Amino acid sequence: MQRLFAIILLVGLAPLLALLWLLTRMSQGSPVLFRQQRSGLGGKPFDIAKFRSMTDKRDASGALLPDDERVTAWGRFLRRSRLDELPGLWSIARGDMAFVGPRPLLPETIASLGERGRERGKVRPGLTGWAQVNGNTLLSLDEKVALDLDYVSNPSLGRDLVILMRTFWVMIGGERRTSVAGGAKPDLSQHR
């Protein structure tokens, strides 16, 4: 069902995707998409794509400059609005991702997490997730993993719907660290 809905969204959002492609091409140059291998369900690797938000600027020795020096104004807008993630609909249509789940991490990051990484891989990674609506980049990796494991241990359609609704608020209002991210135990009764 998710795969079909992702295909419908890709068709419906085609004009927006084309506009974002053009604006990204004008702002960032080529290639327009950033591609990277990530860990999926059961640790199976897959390729994820996003609209590129950084240039390839390098220092005199040829090393890439730090991320904050390569992100453009357009890239900051794409990231803040989460529009950079729209190409991820292809990953959902292919069956590599879900709409909601732990964000897919690099295979080496998953390996470094040991048992927590394997536990996290028990569900399909998502375009958005519990950690993303509770602080995302404002959180440490350990905090994100704790929220991801809480999600894996307490799945429900109600919770997924809450995450989707809160994702739209993050797109509009930006990231905020929540009390759930601050160590408080979430009240999951409202999500079941």
Side-chain angles (χ1 to χ4, degrees):
M1 187 65 162
Q2 289 196 44
R3 294 174 77 173
L4 176 61
F5 190 55
I7 292 168
I8 292 168
L9 281 175
L10 283 166
V11 171
L13 293 174
L16 174 61
L17 290 165
L19 177 63
L20 293 172
W21 185 92
L22 178 64
L23 293 171
T24 303
R25 176 72 167 90
M26 290 169 41
S27 171
Q28 314 292 86
S30 185
V32 171
L33 296 178
F34 168 77
R35 297 176 188 274
Q36 193 173 55
Q37 192 170 84
R38 301 287 177 96
S39 284
L41 182 65
K44 180 183 173 194
F46 72 98
D47 289 328
I48 191 171
K50 300 180 181 187
F51 283 114
R52 204 161 61 108
S53 59
M54 294 189 286
T55 66
D56 289 329
K57 289 183 182 175
R58 297 174 182 271
D59 64 19
S61 66
L64 283 172
L65 292 173
D67 289 359
D68 60 337
E69 293 181 40
R70 295 186 297 128
V71 176
T72 64
W74 174 248
R76 277 189 289 281
F77 168 76
L78 285 174
R79 286 181 174 188
R80 184 183 183 280
S81 66
R82 300 295 194 269
L83 293 173
D84 65 325
E85 300 283 354
L86 284 179
L89 290 170
W90 286 110
S91 295
I92 298 172
R94 285 192 317 254
D96 293 326
M97 288 177 60
F99 282 98
V100 178
R103 287 293 296 147
L105 298 177
L106 295 167
E108 55 268 23
T109 304
I110 293 296
S112 74
L113 294 172
E115 184 56 38
R116 294 185 309 156
R118 285 185 290 283
E119 187 70 23
R120 209 177 164 277
K122 287 184 176 179
V123 298
R124 205 172 300 281
L127 201 57
T128 187
W130 193 227
Q132 283 61 50
V133 299
N134 283 295
N136 195 24
T137 61
L138 306 174
L139 305 175
S140 69
L141 177 60
D142 281 340
E143 289 171 317
K144 288 180 194 179
V145 171
L147 289 168
D148 290 341
L149 293 177
D150 176 67
Y151 175 84
V152 170
S153 298
N154 299 289
S156 75
L157 177 60
R159 189 179 207 189
D160 285 356
L161 294 174
V162 167
I163 291 170
L164 289 170
M165 287 187 298
R166 286 178 62 182
T167 297
F168 288 109
W169 285 113
V170 170
M171 291 172 71
I172 295 166
E175 292 177 345
R176 289 184 178 80
R177 189 181 175 90
T178 67
S179 60
V180 171
K185 288 287 184 193
D187 177 9
L188 299 176
S189 61
Q190 64 184 341
H191 305 299
R192 292 192 180 190

